Amino acid sequence: MQNTATPTHCPYCALQCGMNLTPAADGPAGTVLLTERADFPVNRGALCGKGRTAPEVLSSGVRLTSPLVRTGGRLVPATWPEALDRVAGALGSVREEHGPDALGVFGGGGLTNEKAYSLGKFARVVLGTSQIDYNGRFCMSSAAAAGVKAFGLDRGLPFPLEDIPRTGCVILVGSNPAETMPPSLRYFTELRENGGTLIVIDPRRTKTAEQADLHLAPRPGTDLALALGMLHLVVAEGRVDQAYVEERTSGWEEARAAAMAHWPEYVERITGVSVPELREAVRMFCEPEAAMVLTARGPEQQAKGTDTVGAWINLCLATGRAGRPLSGYGCLTGQGNGQGGREHGQKADQLPGYRKLDDPEARRHVAEVWGVDPDSLPLPGRSAYELLDALGRDVKALLLMGSNPVVSAPRAAHIEERLRSLDFLAVCDVVLSETAELADVVLPVTQWAEETGTTTSLEGRVLLRRQAIAPPEGVRSDLYVLHELAARLGVEKGFPTDPEEVFEELRRASAGGAADYSGITYRRLAEENGVFWPCPAPEAGAGEDGTARAGEYDGEDAALDAVLPDDDPAREDAAPPADEPARKAPAPHPGTPRLFLDRFATPDGRARFVPVAHRPSAEEPDDDYPVLLTTGRVVSQYQSGAQTRRVAELNKAAPGPFVELHPRLAARLGAAEGDLLAVESRRGRAVAPARITTAIRPDTVFMPFHWPGEGRANTLTNPALDPTSRMPEFKVCAVRVETVRAQR
């Protein structure tokens, strides 16, 4: 690679912040200089500590540089042909003896679109298995399911982040962007500077909650009741936008009746949020002309997560706050490619373009692109936790890419046991993660700065992440792995190693689907700083003059012009600078930054209210387990920590797990700051130091989930599943807490 700056994107969260990378003139191979990239609009050059230190994981002293195979109980170096032969041989033998569904494939929300697409195709075309899912099921699946029910389409944010500072009020539910995606916090700061208000709903007084105009701290697992109580007050106080409800929605009467059963005093008893606080939240949300509700893992990672998100969507619909400029419901997606990862086929029930695997027309279209018989494609298989739970029983061999379920899965000790029981486990990873340590074969693969590929941010903005440096000698790409395994298993064609060639096929496979990428090219992504989907190809999405046809996503510019200042550059009718000619309609589809401004993606174009009612969490406190546990992240670690725990600066800031508890609970336990606490649930026991703070409810403890070993928070968490999304209930379970010994 040349020693010139390469514009690219961060490997971590779904902001996908822009950055420049330049290979260092001095220092070991893989050393790069990271500089700000002010031209990318999402972060405007700002980076958090994780992004700033991301190049450290490129070091050969940190990451894997040779395939490993298990010999005599130990992982030892091997050549690539030896390792690939062993993987292909094991997969072929298991399939021959037990059938294709004895093979499992587990992907990740950090894989590029090209990898996710190829992995789904590999599972269904080469292996013939239905048993494929990915760790994104643990992240945004409840919000996705609720969005599809209400709007007919799921895209994390149906508007760009730049709209947040211009709205009147934001309700942020179960999200802590100050720590999970710090560069995004400025959008909320600018919101308040512009006269808007911020409501944060979280059981903890997080760094984000400290910035809020109003912080509501409900009991974990009661977000659904809170949303219903607010909707009850909207009705009771005459704040329903009747004209909007009649013109743009259906199902209101049923949803209204369900909400009216949740009167404020009843909701106060369930949530612990007082009636005056509820009324104030409703006032703040309803008084401005525009407002938004944004959810994250707090309300979503529950066994009733789909209904909970649905209740917040109902609040938006009843007040006319969806499908209008600077208003709407959105999900703050977590993983780097969490959005794209669920669009192109590595999810158990989906085909590329966000098509449903059990839809005959979707099967026909994708099978034609793949050159196979539609009847040869398997039907939907198990969801992520159910797939992991079946390991060693129905599923005998597993190929895993870009995930670390030993740390990240609920009931993690059980999942670790299931992984150990497999006949064969192959893991593709950058580092020797806790899951890779259990594998029979570990394949070292390229990472963000060593490869080119696309990701899709939480805004639905498809981005080009460019290769900046060459990978170490012994490292290959995931696309290479799939190409070689396919050939060894009898499929010689259809799995190219060039990411742009894969993307060109993905464009054709997604064409006409909900997540239509057919009008997007690598060249456009490079020139335009990303393109928002849906973006159909000109022949599918444009008239003879190249302008977008009237349809599902039109009307954005005119609607925005009605609310934006005359000199705002986002206005369609804003005059061009004097030295610029007037704009002409481009031939390509421009992409769709803002959805639903004309109609929703339902057959009749109306958003659908879904009636929901509060129900208890799957596991409530009792005499044996009297305390609630909730889990989450800290600013200096990311997900399972497989990469960030290898960065000295980040480990210094966040060296290990802890148990956050209120002083009143600490006093009852006789615990002091730093004392070791044992937290025990019905699934296991974790031990970590006490961190005593008034920022958490007295009935709740909090543990971050980034670490393995005795402080592994997911040893405790409950795998109870949402009936629609199959999301496990990470965010609430019953525990007991005891002091182990003093460690000052």
Side-chain angles (χ1 to χ4, degrees), residues 40-52:
F40 187 60
V42 170
N43 64 308
R44 304 176 202 163
L47 293 169
C48 72
K50 296 186 290 291
R52 184 171 43 77

Side-chain angles (χ1 to χ4, degrees), residues 165-201:
R166 299 191 240 180
T167 193
C169 177
V170 172
I171 299 179
L172 198 56
V173 191
S175 176
N176 182 18
E179 296 197 69
T180 59
M181 43 182 67
S184 72
L185 189 63
R186 67 176 175 81
Y187 291 103
F188 303 100
T189 301
E190 291 172 7
L191 164 73
R192 300 183 69 213
E193 290 172 348
N194 292 340
T197 55
L198 175 64
I199 302 171
V200 171
I201 298 173

Side-chain angles (χ1 to χ4, degrees), residues 454-487:
T454 62
T455 62
T456 306
S457 75
L458 77 170
E459 302 175 295
R461 188 196 302 253
V462 185
L463 301 165
L464 183 62
R465 207 158 66 185
R466 301 167 178 88
Q467 182 181 2
I469 58 171
E473 180 62 31
V475 173
R476 304 288 186 270
S477 73
D478 294 282
L479 296 180
Y480 172 87
V481 170
L482 295 176
H483 171 84
E484 292 294 319
L485 290 179

Side-chain angles (χ1 to χ4, degrees), residues 62-88:
V62 173
R63 48 89 56 78
L64 295 168
T65 56
S66 170
L68 303 173
V69 299
R70 191 165 296 279
T71 303
R74 296 188 306 113
L75 288 171
V76 299
T79 67
W80 271 96
E82 290 170 341
L84 290 166
D85 286 347
R86 187 160 173 183
V87 176

Side-chain angles (χ1 to χ4, degrees), residues 684-701:
R685 182 175 186 263
V687 177
R691 183 174 294 182
I692 301 172
T693 174
T694 57
I696 192 167
R697 292 173 55 97
D699 58 2
T700 301
V701 295

Side-chain angles (χ1 to χ4, degrees), residues 168-171 197 199 230-235 237-241 278-293 315-316 318-321 327:
C169 177
V170 172
I171 299 179
T197 55
I199 302 171
M230 289 183 64
L231 183 53
H232 178 111
L233 285 171
V234 164
V235 176
E237 296 176 359
R239 298 182 184 271
V240 175
D241 188 333
L278 281 173
R279 293 189 185 278
E280 177 63 5
V282 169
R283 183 195 65 78
M284 291 170 62
F285 183 68
C286 292
E287 284 190 351
E289 183 177 348
M292 299 173 179
V293 172
L315 179 67
C316 290
T319 53
R321 308 306 176 93
S327 286

